[in-house]
Amino acid sequence: MMIMQMILWFMITLLLYVVFRRLYQIFPYPFMIPVLTCTVILVIILTSLDVSYDTYFSGGKWIDALLGPAIVALAFPLYQQRELLSKYKLEILVTVLIASIVGILSGYWLAVISGYNEMIVSTIISKNVTTPVAMEVASMTGGEPAFAVIFVMIAGIGGAVTGPWLFQLLGISNFLGVGMAFGGASHAIGTSKALEYGEREAAISSIGLSLCALSVSILGPILLSWFS
């Protein structure tokens, strides 16, 4: 019975992704990105059927296990564009530093102003980095890794959805600006969106994702201790 449940939820998740990815190809609007639409539909299904997260994750964990290899795969466009990255290394490093500090402080002050407790404040500072790193940073700062995953998803989906609109509003079309914005603010989800813009954008986003993860894991605990 358990094996059947695992297979069932794995297949439902996979089927929903395939369907909504196809819809996204037909209607390429920001709010139609598969990670958003699939998440919403899955939540509705699980809530309607009163299915616990543990039951769903018995099959969903197979997809979760692919998160690491998927992030590593993003290094392929990075390798192909290595000369480009070497040429703009100063711009990239400066942007990573600024993005990391802004990401940490924006999360910190938003939580403080909203009156959240210390646990939430310690967790939200890692919202702009990829999930495994965010969970580790949350553990280091006294936060809750499970909540870190939620904040990471909100930042990732939010950036992927609003990014194209903001680029158009602000007149940003340079591949460096697009790539670093997605990678520095929306990690892996943003990087997958950057790939739609082109290989150069995806390569820049990949390095932004990686360097921001390293930077936030160092600066996060330091800045939190200063402000606390």
Side-chain angles (χ1 to χ4, degrees), residues 117-166:
N117 59 36
E118 186 177 345
M119 185 272 288
I120 295 295
V121 173
S122 300
T123 304
I124 200 172
I125 64 169
S126 60
K127 63 182 172 57
N128 293 107
V129 298
T130 191
T131 303
V133 177
M135 294 175 70
E136 285 298 320
V137 173
S139 297
M140 291 165 54
T141 56
E144 174 54 56
F147 283 159
V149 175
I150 297 174
F151 294 138
V152 168
M153 287 296 294
I154 293 173
I157 294 174
V161 169
T162 62
W165 174 74
L166 287 173

Side-chain angles (χ1 to χ4, degrees), residues 84-85 88 91-92 95-96 99 159 162-164 166-168 170-186 190-191 193-194 197-198 200-209 212:
L84 186 68
L85 300 179
Y88 294 104
E91 291 88 343
I92 291 172
T95 304
V96 164
T162 62
L166 287 173
F167 296 150
Q168 184 176 13
L170 300 175
I172 299 174
S173 58
N174 181 273
F175 69 93
L176 277 173
V178 171
M180 288 304 299
F182 276 130
S186 302
T191 300
K193 182 66 178 179
Y197 284 76
R200 294 191 304 175
E201 287 84 354
I204 296 295
S205 186
S206 295
I207 192 64
L209 178 158
C212 279

Side-chain angles (χ1 to χ4, degrees), residues 12 16 21 29 31 43 52 66 71 92 99 104 129 131 136 154 156 159 163-164 187 194 204-205 222 224-225:
I12 288 175
L16 285 174
R21 180 173 174 79
Y29 304 113
F31 282 97
V43 169
S52 69
L66 297 174
I71 293 174
I92 291 172
I104 293 169
V129 298
T131 303
E136 285 298 320
I154 293 173
H187 40 82
I204 296 295
S205 186
I222 294 174
L224 183 63
S225 65

Side-chain angles (χ1 to χ4, degrees), residues 18-125:
V18 171
V19 170
F20 283 106
R21 180 173 174 79
R22 178 58 181 161
L23 284 175
Y24 181 57
Q25 291 172 340
I26 300 173
F27 306 104
Y29 304 113
F31 282 97
M32 288 295 292
I33 59 172
V35 69
L36 173 59
T37 49
C38 279
T39 300
V40 171
I41 297 301
L42 274 173
V43 169
I44 292 174
I45 292 174
L46 296 177
T47 304
S48 300
L49 299 178
D50 196 25
V51 177
S52 69
Y53 176 76
D54 289 338
T55 300
Y56 165 76
F57 198 66
S58 64
K61 65 182 178 183
W62 294 344
I63 297 174
D64 182 69
L66 297 174
L67 178 62
I71 293 174
V72 173
L74 294 173
F76 181 66
L78 184 63
Y79 172 76
Q80 290 185 312
Q81 299 290 336
R82 57 192 180 280
E83 294 182 2
L84 186 68
L85 300 179
S86 177
K87 179 179 179 181
Y88 294 104
K89 56 182 176 292
L90 179 60
E91 291 88 343
I92 291 172
L93 291 175
V94 171
T95 304
V96 164
L97 181 61
I98 294 174
S100 298
I101 294 174
V102 170
I104 293 169
L105 295 184
S106 62
Y108 175 84
W109 286 115
L110 178 63
V112 170
I113 292 172
S114 300
Y116 287 110
N117 59 36
E118 186 177 345
M119 185 272 288
I120 295 295
V121 173
S122 300
T123 304
I124 200 172
I125 64 169

